[in-house]
Amino acid sequence: MSLSFKSLTIWIVALTGAALALQAVYVALYGGWDITYGRSWILCAAVVIALLGNPLADRVQDNRFAVVRNMPAWLLWAIDLILIGVFIFGTLKFIEIQILIEETIFEYDPNDITIAFVAVLILLEATRRLFGLPIVLIAAFGILYCLYGQYMPGFLNHSGFSLNRSMQTIWYSFQGVFGLPMGVVLQVVLIFVVFGVILESTGASDALIRASVALTGKTRGGPAHSAVFASAIFGSMSGSVTANVVGTGSFTIPMIKRRGFSGPMAGGIEAAASTGGQIVPPVMGAAAFLMADLTGEAYTTICIAALIPALFYYGSLFASISIQAGADGIEPLPESERPPLTRKDMLACLAFVIPIAIIVFVLVMGRSPALAGFWAIVAAVIMGVFNKKNRENPGVIWTALVKAGRSCAWIIVAVGCIGVIIGVLNLTGLGISFASVVAEFSEFSLLAALITTALAALALGMGMPTLPAYLIIILVLGPVMQRMGAELLATHMFVFYFGVLSAITPPVAIGAFAAAPIANAHPFTTALYAVRIALVGFIIPFIFIYEPSLLLVGTFDAVSFVRVVVCLSLAIWLINTALIGYERQMLGAPERLLRGLAGAGLLIQIPTLQITFLVIGLSLITFGTIRSRRKLQN
């Protein structure tokens, strides 16, 4: 295939991506498109970007089958173009049938069903190219389950549906591919995807990293702490774990390694910090707005609920890094080597401070999240003009729009694939059946039911962007949690946390896998370090299910809140010192075991038991402090 044709496809992807980003800005300002035309054509554009941006011709060399590797490039490009043509035809057929359904009684013929089925298969192929096989296999098994569920045992059994009936729900209705999740993402989420990319492209992330390094220079962790601080803020805005890891990690990971941390540890720190950015208000990677839409709660309520758990998550990261730095003998940077925070740096920080402040201001004034995102983009572009590099290279906005469009396409394709799964759930009632089965656990053990739900959430979220993962998890598992008596907002926060943390959970730890090459470390080892550093993040959701006071909204009791805060703070310290084996000096195995048990005991939400472990924990810390002082005196 000639170079000119490849260049043409690159331009098609760029133009389609920029158009996708610009339509998100238009929708934020003027409102959504017609539901039939908007959802269908936007998904079609996303599939075009996915297929042409990841063509078979570029991937064939990695194929293990010699027959495929030896196929000529022109044939591979022809296959991609045929797939795109068929999908466009399927989109036109969807629009045509929606119009006919509105005007008359319509009966589907075999050709309609064949076109729909092939369009769904092309959507799954686009998803495979972007995210790999796991989510595609779930969707494919879902379609097979629709067709042959009458042969399944137990709660999986249903009467069975024909391909005709299945495609009517999955493709030709607003209960499947083009259903509510697609509408929510197009109306609320895409504008913040564009915002995050523009903020990064105009240099706001560079200013953020410089400020973080200056502010954390006095700590033992130094660059590691700056990575945590920068990733928390940038991750909240970007909503993409991999973009956050690559964007901040390419600068922070080498710095962390130079300070004496191992490669896997440096990658794990960045992966854990970047992943957690999406639980940090006020933006939460656009999840705050999505959660407000799904729960019916005010945006400010979501932010307040997310605040304390996020502080504990990042407090735990800071503690873990400090303890590890002490164990490795890493000292704070000498004052002469600390980069000063200049007036120029402080002004540059306004590039991300002002857009975030505008988001909060617009939302507090009662306007829509989409409009807040629009004005944040305007502010980001204006602030970017003050950056000399941007003035010298005005094309940065075009580059940002193209990159934002591709990011939007990834999320849209993922949500389209999730729509296939949701169509299966709506048709077969599997979600309700699954909820009933898991809810039975709660009759014997609420903890067992929560663990089952958490594991299912981690499995469903692996390899997926956080927002689509959260959508599928809450739609499938949300009813389970509420049947167990959990509060609505606590339920959403629970599944959202595990959707977020799936990005660092092996075997499909996309955050850790993105950090590993930068750290020159093994991906799986990096993922294990990330899980260890972020361990408290896996615990916090269980705590606010048992004690919703931690969320500050809904059921709130001041005494319970203080007890949870004190016990969780001490538990974080004890668990981290036990895992690393250090507190002022190296700890022996018996003391590490006692600290681990005391920390775990503090997490059990039984007040009398917590008081006992509180005394034990404080005694262990006091004993360690006295022993350390005596050693210094001698």
Side-chain angles (χ1 to χ4, degrees):
M1 190 60 62
S2 67
L3 182 63
S4 59
F5 180 81
K6 181 65 182 289
S7 301
L8 177 62
T9 61
I10 291 172
W11 271 104
I12 290 172
V13 169
L15 289 169
T16 309
L20 204 55
L22 288 171
Q23 74 82 31
V25 176
Y26 177 89
V27 167
L29 187 60
Y30 296 108
W33 310 101
D34 174 85
I35 185 173
T36 298
Y37 290 95
R39 295 185 188 181
S40 58
W41 281 121
I42 289 173
L43 175 62
C44 187
V47 169
V48 169
I49 291 172
L51 295 178
L52 287 185
N54 301 272
L56 286 174
D58 288 354
R59 303 162 67 92
V60 69
Q61 295 302 321
D62 299 328
N63 199 291
R64 59 181 177 175
F65 298 108
V67 175
V68 178
R69 288 199 303 271
N70 294 328
M71 291 177 70
W74 68 265
L75 180 57
L76 296 170
W77 279 106
I79 291 172
D80 280 339
L81 293 177
I82 290 169
L83 293 177
I84 290 170
V86 173
F87 196 85
I88 291 173
F89 186 64
T91 301
L92 290 168
K93 180 60 70 172
F94 167 80
I95 294 170
E96 176 190 340
I97 289 178
Q98 290 304 313
I99 294 171
L100 288 173
I101 289 173
E102 291 178 4
E103 295 177 350
T104 183
I105 298 173
F106 182 79
E107 185 173 341
Y108 296 86
D109 63 38
N111 288 334
D112 299 329
I113 300 306
T114 302
I115 292 166
F117 182 62
V118 175
V120 169
L121 292 181
I122 295 170
L123 173 61
L124 297 187
E125 167 60 12
T127 308
R128 183 194 67 80
R129 295 192 195 181
L130 297 179
F131 305 107
L133 279 175
I135 188 64
V136 174
L137 289 176
I138 294 173
F141 283 131
I143 295 172
L144 292 174
Y145 176 66
C146 274
L147 301 176
Y148 303 108
Q150 66 270 33
Y151 303 114
M152 299 296 287
F155 77 93
L156 294 174
N157 183 267
H158 63 77
S159 60
F161 298 93
S162 66
L163 183 63
N164 187 307
R165 183 71 185 87
S166 299
M167 288 302 107
Q168 285 183 44
T169 299
I170 293 172
W171 184 258
Y172 288 121
S173 77
F174 293 104
Q175 299 178 41
V177 171
F178 303 105
L180 175 65
M182 182 67 73
V184 172
V185 166
L186 299 186
Q187 290 275 27
V188 178
V189 174
L190 294 191
I191 187 65
F192 289 96
V193 174
V194 177
F195 166 63
V197 173
I198 287 179
L199 208 58
E200 177 191 4
S201 301
T202 53
S205 58
D206 296 336
L208 178 59
I209 291 171
R210 288 197 300 273
S212 302
V213 171
L215 292 172
T216 58
K218 295 181 180 180
T219 66
R220 276 182 182 267
H225 281 146
S226 69
V228 170
F229 183 79
S231 296
I233 298 175
F234 185 65
S236 179
M237 296 180 290
S238 74
S240 170
V241 174
T242 51
N244 197 6
V245 169
V246 174
T248 59
S250 57
F251 182 79
T252 59
I253 289 175
M255 288 175 57
I256 296 170
K257 291 178 68 177
R258 284 197 296 270
R259 288 292 294 134
F261 290 95
S262 68
M265 181 70 179
I269 289 170
E270 180 58 48
S274 295
T275 298
Q278 294 167 101
I279 63 174
V280 177
V283 181
M284 297 170 63
F289 316 111
L290 187 58
M291 197 177 294
D293 192 80
L294 294 176
T295 61
E297 298 281 359
Y299 160 79
T300 50
T301 302
I302 304 295
C303 288
I304 292 169
L307 180 61
I308 300 300
L311 290 176
F312 270 115
Y313 179 85
Y314 277 97
S316 175
L317 296 189
F318 267 82
S320 179
I321 291 167
S322 296
I323 295 165
Q324 186 67 56
D328 293 342
I330 298 172
E331 296 295 333
L333 276 173
E335 190 168 352
S336 59
E337 298 180 24
R338 296 173 197 162
L341 189 61
T342 64
R343 181 173 177 271
K344 183 179 178 181
D345 290 331
M346 295 178 70
L347 289 174
C349 288
L350 296 176
F352 61 85
V353 171
I354 288 178
I356 293 177
I358 284 175
I359 289 174
V360 175
F361 174 77
V362 173
L363 290 168
V364 169
M365 293 297 291
R367 308 306 294 270
S368 70
L371 191 61
F374 169 79
W375 286 113
I377 288 175
V378 172
V381 171
I382 292 173
M383 295 306 300
V385 173
F386 292 95
N387 187 323
K388 184 179 178 182
K389 291 181 180 178
N390 296 334
R391 292 197 301 273
E392 293 174 350
N393 179 28
V396 69
I397 296 298
W398 166 256
T399 304
L401 285 174
V402 172
K403 185 178 178 182
R406 294 193 68 153
S407 297
C408 289
W410 279 50
I411 290 181
I412 292 164
V413 169
V415 172
C417 183
I418 286 172
V420 174
I421 300 170
I422 292 170
V424 171
L425 297 177
N426 288 332
L427 190 60
T428 63
L430 178 61
I432 297 171
S433 301
F434 180 74
S436 300
V437 171
V438 177
E440 289 177 6
F441 281 101
S442 64
E443 297 178 9
F444 307 99
S445 170
L446 175 59
L447 181 61
L450 290 173
I451 291 172
T452 303
T453 304
L455 291 175
L458 287 172
L460 287 170
M462 284 182 181
M464 293 284 290
T466 302
L467 289 176
Y470 162 60
L471 271 172
I472 184 63
I473 294 165
I474 195 62
L475 292 171
V476 176
L477 301 177
V480 176
M481 302 287 294
Q482 288 180 262
R483 285 188 61 174
M484 291 186 295
E487 294 187 359
L488 177 64
L489 188 52
T491 296
H492 280 255
M493 290 290 291
F494 184 94
V495 297
F496 178 64
Y497 257 71
F498 283 102
V500 167
L501 293 171
S502 66
I504 57 170
T505 305
V508 191
I510 57 173
F513 278 48
I518 304 172
N520 196 23
H522 191 281
F524 194 79
T525 308
T526 304
L528 292 178
Y529 270 95
V531 169
R532 194 196 78 179
I533 294 164
L535 182 63
V536 171
F538 293 86
I539 296 169
I540 289 172
F542 290 90
I543 301 231
F544 59 61
I545 288 291
Y546 283 99
E547 284 293 349
S549 295
L550 193 65
L551 300 179
L552 298 176
V553 296
T555 303
F556 180 78
D557 177 73
V559 175
S560 296
F561 175 75
V562 172
R563 172 175 55 80
V564 171
V565 167
V566 171
C567 291
L568 184 54
S569 300
L570 186 58
I572 286 172
W573 185 258
L574 290 171
I575 290 171
N576 278 306
T577 54
L579 287 173
I580 298 170
Y582 179 85
E583 187 195 52
R584 293 187 175 87
Q585 61 184 27
M586 302 307 294
L587 303 176
E591 187 173 355
R592 292 178 69 177
L593 179 61
L594 283 174
R595 284 172 175 263
L597 291 173
L602 285 166
L603 300 174
I604 301 172
Q605 299 304 306
I606 302 175
T608 52
L609 195 62
Q610 284 182 314
I611 291 171
T612 302
F613 283 110
L614 188 66
V615 172
I616 295 172
L618 290 173
S619 300
L620 287 168
I621 292 173
T622 303
F623 170 74
T625 303
I626 294 172
R627 180 185 56 195
S628 174
R629 287 177 178 174
R630 285 177 178 175
K631 186 176 180 179
L632 288 173
Q633 290 172 355
N634 295 332

